[in-house]
Amino acid sequence: MKKYLLLISAFILPLLNYAQEAEKGLDEKVNDAFMPIATWWEGFILTPVPVAGYDIPFVVILLVLGATFFTIYFKVPSITKFPLAVNTVRGKYDEIEQHGVEEKVSVNIVDGDLPDTIRDESQEGEVSHFQALATAVSGTVGLGNIAGVAVAIALGGPGATFWMIVCGLIGMSTKFVECTLGVKYRDIGDDGTVYGGPMYYLSKGLKERGFTGIGKVLGALFAILCVGASFGGGNAFQSNQAAVQLSSLFGFEGGSTGVIIGIILAILVGIVIIGGIKRIAKITEKIVPFMAGIYVLASLIIIFANFSYIDEAFGLILEGAFTPMAGLGGFLGVLIVGFQRAAFSNEAGAGSAAIAHSAVKTKYPASEGVVALLEPFIDTVVICTMTALVIIFFNIDGTNLQSVFEYGAVNGSNVILNGTGEQLGGVDLTSRAFDSVIPGFSYVLTIAIVLFAFSTMISWSYYGLQSWKYLFGKGKTADMLYKVLFLLFVVIGAAATLDAVIKFSDAMILALVFPNMIGLFFLFPRVREEISKYVKAIKAGTEE
């Protein structure tokens, strides 16, 4: 690893110097080619449905109704199953999962890989509960929490924060359902490699229900869209905001700066993703707690520094959620912005995290389902809310409560600062907010942002690769082709504008909802069976 880093560093400065001197940059050319595609795809996926005088994207309606239904059906698992989730992830029930009293989970040995002796299923899987959670969280706790929240507040005002929290709470139920199914219907090769995710529970689960043809179509559709999402929200958006922050902090202004930074990021990501899920899990279990700790600590410092304005901030959030300011699109307009940004941030309903969770070592699918419901809580309820408070405090002048910028007065995804006319958007707005209280923190935030982006990209590379394998088989040539394409989008994302990348990324993530939610509605009774088995095993184990 050290020799790779030394080799990369030897080229960084010359490449960036070249980028600054370029008159006609590659960045503009890449963006011009990418923007029409992003705009068309966003319009297609976010097709609106007229409701009470508002045009609401159908995918948002599907997410809200689905999450609400699962929350009611499973008796608010975000609250009732929360202690069980914490105990499971910290290993309290590991002994029960290894030698439980209930029947073992039925796994499918993939065609052509049937071993002579069926292995003990307690050994099936590749990673621990914590590693699976860390990998999945690293795929969701990313720049959606830093840049995405800034975009939500810029477009929807403080009220969008409330609806992001609501989306996170009910999204915990959806995550619980999809990740339980991910483990239940996973395939396992004779070398112990796990192949799981919505494409498997769509094809196998719906086959059980007598819908073989529909299951195959939906499984393939999900896999195709997941590959696209791995290029978009799980990749291009991350490299874009990392490149923006690095360029802003170090003053790189050349026309090819984005491309050069993208190439460097692509090399670093490439070194990691060659090692597969085990290497990814080992890295994310170290990076995620570290970067989340830095970010949460800084956020708490700012929150306590502005504690006298905490009532004002929460007042703006609650008031803005139901009676938003003029120019923000009304009540439903703010709700749509909040839910759309939260959906992109925590991906509940998209099914992507089920791919990482399916690799866990367990014989009780519901054990990983309850662990998975911690994701939206960490991602949206905690980290997104902290980011929102930091930005709201930044927009309150402590002397006369005047705003620094007007909510909803945006150019694309950028707010316009009062007095100067300067435009800030995404990660730049969040960085300025942190710097206003902790001078120089933008340097620390840059490290956190790069780590967020890096961990998200390597996790999503695994999601996309699993989907690619489902479509094209498990050969080395097919794997390498996917990895090359993935690394190409690292460069494209770094070079394109935020507006273009957000259009493409949002639509790609949200497109996964359509096939995934159809499967969840057909298969949720299986989840009730699995959680019952797990709870009974725990009770029996603790009574012994």
Side-chain angles (χ1 to χ4, degrees):
M1 178 67 76
K2 290 182 178 179
K3 68 178 182 180
Y4 286 118
L5 293 176
L6 290 172
L7 183 63
I8 292 167
S9 63
F11 286 94
I12 288 177
L13 290 178
L15 286 172
L16 290 175
N17 287 334
Y18 166 78
Q20 287 183 289
E21 294 171 0
E23 294 182 4
K24 181 64 176 178
L26 291 174
D27 294 3
E28 185 178 347
K29 295 178 181 178
V30 171
N31 186 71
D32 289 345
F34 187 60
M35 177 63 91
I37 299 172
T39 302
W40 174 85
W41 182 244
E42 180 193 46
F44 177 72
I45 295 301
L46 300 181
T47 300
V49 176
V51 177
Y54 292 90
D55 290 333
I56 304 178
F58 177 72
V59 67
V60 175
I61 297 174
L62 185 60
L63 277 172
V64 174
L65 293 180
T68 303
F69 171 76
F70 294 136
T71 298
I72 296 171
Y73 182 84
F74 290 102
K75 301 177 182 179
V76 196
S78 56
I79 297 174
T80 59
K81 297 294 187 295
F82 196 88
L84 177 61
V86 174
N87 286 331
T88 301
V89 80
R90 71 185 183 89
K92 182 176 181 179
Y93 308 122
D94 283 355
E95 183 67 21
I96 294 173
E97 292 187 46
Q98 289 287 324
H99 310 290
V101 296
E102 286 292 313
E103 61 184 88
K104 297 172 182 177
V105 60
S106 174
V107 298
N108 180 63
I109 306 300
V110 296
D111 294 339
D113 288 336
L114 184 64
D116 295 331
T117 303
I118 301 298
R119 297 179 302 276
D120 177 6
E121 291 165 4
S122 65
Q123 302 303 314
E124 303 294 5
E126 299 183 78
V127 296
S128 68
H129 283 300
F130 180 75
Q131 287 179 322
L133 179 64
T135 300
V137 167
S138 71
T140 56
V141 177
L143 295 179
N145 307 83
I146 301 176
V149 173
V151 171
I153 293 178
L155 296 175
T161 308
F162 178 85
W163 296 114
M164 290 185 74
I165 295 172
V166 171
C167 183
L169 289 172
I170 64 175
M172 292 169 72
S173 306
T174 308
K175 191 80 78 166
F176 161 66
V177 174
E178 61 193 14
C179 291
T180 299
L181 293 172
V183 178
K184 179 174 177 59
Y185 291 103
R186 63 185 178 179
D187 281 351
I188 299 178
D190 63 345
D191 61 351
T193 301
V194 175
Y195 306 98
M199 50 279 194
Y200 290 93
Y201 62 69
L202 285 169
S203 58
K204 295 164 64 178
L206 291 180
K207 182 179 179 180
E208 286 183 357
R209 299 295 303 271
F211 303 106
T212 303
I214 296 175
K216 287 183 178 179
V217 171
L218 290 178
L221 177 60
F222 180 90
I224 292 169
L225 293 173
C226 190
V227 169
S230 73
F231 294 154
N235 183 343
F237 179 73
Q238 312 301 323
S239 64
N240 175 273
Q241 291 297 275
V244 167
Q245 184 67 3
L246 287 169
S247 298
S248 174
L249 187 64
F250 296 108
F252 300 137
E253 298 178 351
S256 300
T257 298
V259 171
I260 302 303
I261 292 175
I263 291 172
I264 296 168
L265 287 173
I267 293 171
L268 294 173
V269 171
I271 292 171
V272 176
I273 66 176
I274 292 172
I277 184 61
K278 290 184 179 179
R279 181 183 292 179
I280 292 171
K282 286 180 180 178
I283 290 176
T284 55
E285 73 173 341
K286 295 179 177 64
I287 290 179
V288 171
F290 174 72
M291 67 185 182
I294 290 177
Y295 193 75
V296 168
L297 179 61
S299 299
L300 288 173
I301 290 172
I302 292 177
I303 290 170
F304 283 113
N306 291 275
F307 197 75
S308 58
Y309 301 111
I310 197 76
D311 291 344
E312 176 76 15
F314 278 105
L316 289 171
I317 290 172
L318 292 173
E319 182 182 355
F322 299 98
T323 56
M325 307 169 195
L328 298 182
F331 165 70
L332 285 179
V334 174
L335 183 148
I336 291 168
V337 170
F339 270 87
Q340 186 170 319
R341 297 313 318 164
F344 175 72
S345 180
N346 64 46
E347 298 162 23
S352 52
I355 300 174
H357 285 285
S358 66
V360 75
K361 295 176 181 177
T362 185
K363 58 183 179 180
Y364 293 105
S367 69
E368 193 60 21
V370 295
V371 168
L373 63 77
L374 294 174
E375 269 185 69
F377 181 81
I378 296 169
D379 176 275
T380 308
V381 179
V382 177
I383 297 181
C384 283
T385 302
M386 286 185 170
T387 302
L389 287 172
V390 169
I391 294 173
I392 292 169
F393 287 138
F394 170 65
N395 202 28
I396 297 176
D397 187 322
T399 57
N400 54 19
L401 299 183
Q402 291 181 346
S403 61
V404 177
F405 61 87
E406 299 298 326
Y407 296 113
V410 297
N411 179 19
S413 300
N414 298 328
V415 299
I416 303 171
L417 301 189
N418 295 332
T420 65
E422 182 184 1
Q423 296 186 23
L424 291 176
V427 71
D428 280 341
L429 177 57
T430 307
S431 179
R432 184 70 62 89
F434 273 98
D435 248 11
S436 67
V437 177
I438 310 175
F441 185 76
S442 56
Y443 293 94
V444 179
L445 186 61
T446 297
I447 296 172
I449 286 169
V450 172
L451 289 176
F452 271 125
F454 185 72
S455 65
T456 300
M457 285 189 284
I458 61 177
S459 294
W460 265 96
S461 72
Y462 176 70
Y463 299 167
L465 181 59
Q466 287 289 76
S467 299
W468 188 272
K469 288 175 182 288
Y470 180 85
L471 293 169
F472 302 109
K474 304 173 178 68
K476 292 183 179 180
T477 302
D479 286 6
M480 186 56 64
L481 177 58
Y482 168 79
K483 290 173 182 177
V484 169
L485 290 172
F486 184 86
L487 296 176
L488 176 63
F489 269 84
V490 175
V491 180
I492 292 174
T497 63
L498 173 61
D499 195 37
V501 171
I502 278 186
K503 288 177 183 290
F504 182 76
S505 300
D506 272 3
M508 274 299 181
I509 295 289
L510 293 173
L512 298 173
V513 171
F514 293 106
N516 186 54
M517 291 299 285
I518 292 173
L520 299 187
F521 284 131
F522 276 102
L523 299 173
F524 71 87
R526 298 287 189 267
V527 178
R528 168 170 276 186
E529 297 171 5
E530 294 300 333
I531 188 63
S532 178
K533 290 178 184 179
Y534 185 48
V535 171
K536 286 180 181 178
I538 291 173
K539 288 180 179 178
T542 54
E543 289 173 359
E544 291 180 356

